[in-house]
Amino acid sequence: MKTKNTLFAAIAAMTFATSAFAGEQYVDPTGFAVSGYDVVAYFDLEQSPVGSAQPAAVPGNKDYTSSYNGATFAFSSAENKARFDADPAAFAPQYDGHCAYGVSKGGKVPGNPNLWRILDGKLYLNITPNVVGFWEEDIPGNLTLAENNWVSIEPAASASGKEIPQFSSAAPLQ
């Protein structure tokens, strides 16, 4: 019986580990994840308080790229590319780059790279400034909802066919 439980636990662990990357990273017409912005650079920016706009995201450079979770990420420097390559999961946005508030509501919509927040060492994106306001009204509650919803919506098709409203990427095209 003990062997059977151990086997079941191992299978469950492998299922959860592989399902974490079953869905597609959001990729817009730039051809890059996070619209070609440097995901490592967010962690070096000074984050604004809740209710304030964040500093602008840092555009990547098509000369510094890495693949992860089925998408190409661009970086502003060789150093940031190396940091990403050492631990991509530490820098990749949550919910495959989809809007965190959208996930909390049960869907996949694009994430705008200029509407970001880092919480507990993880990068979250949202789609519009209005949505950021809803997200920030109850970040802990919205995170709980998003985490619970992500399990079932993560394998669904990416929102890559949808455009980010009122957004134009300053990052490179692939």
Side-chain angles (χ1 to χ4, degrees), residues 13-153:
M14 288 188 320
T15 300
F16 290 125
T18 57
S19 69
F21 299 109
E24 296 175 26
Q25 185 75 35
Y26 172 73
V27 175
D28 72 359
T30 64
F32 290 104
V34 193
S35 302
Y37 286 80
D38 184 339
V39 293
V40 175
Y42 289 104
F43 293 84
D44 295 330
L45 296 172
E46 188 168 332
Q47 192 163 203
S48 299
V50 170
S52 301
Q54 296 288 31
V58 176
N61 180 319
K62 65 182 178 181
D63 294 332
Y64 306 112
T65 63
S66 294
S67 294
Y68 177 71
N69 195 20
T72 302
F73 287 78
F75 305 94
S76 59
S77 68
E79 294 79 14
N80 281 5
K81 177 191 178 336
R83 287 172 63 193
F84 181 85
D85 290 344
D87 189 4
F91 297 103
Q94 299 302 293
Y95 314 123
D96 296 335
H98 294 92
C99 172
Y101 187 72
V103 173
S104 77
K105 294 301 178 191
K108 280 187 175 181
V109 296
N112 182 326
N114 288 316
L115 302 173
W116 61 275
R117 180 157 301 281
I118 295 173
L119 302 164
D120 295 325
K122 296 177 182 180
L123 174 62
Y124 296 88
L125 304 175
N126 277 295
I127 189 168
T128 65
N130 285 345
V131 167
V132 171
F134 295 132
W135 171 253
E136 291 181 344
E137 284 179 4
D138 182 13
I139 292 173
N142 286 320
L143 272 174
T144 298
L145 289 170
E147 289 298 312
N148 290 335
N149 288 340
W150 189 241
V151 174
S152 62
I153 66 171

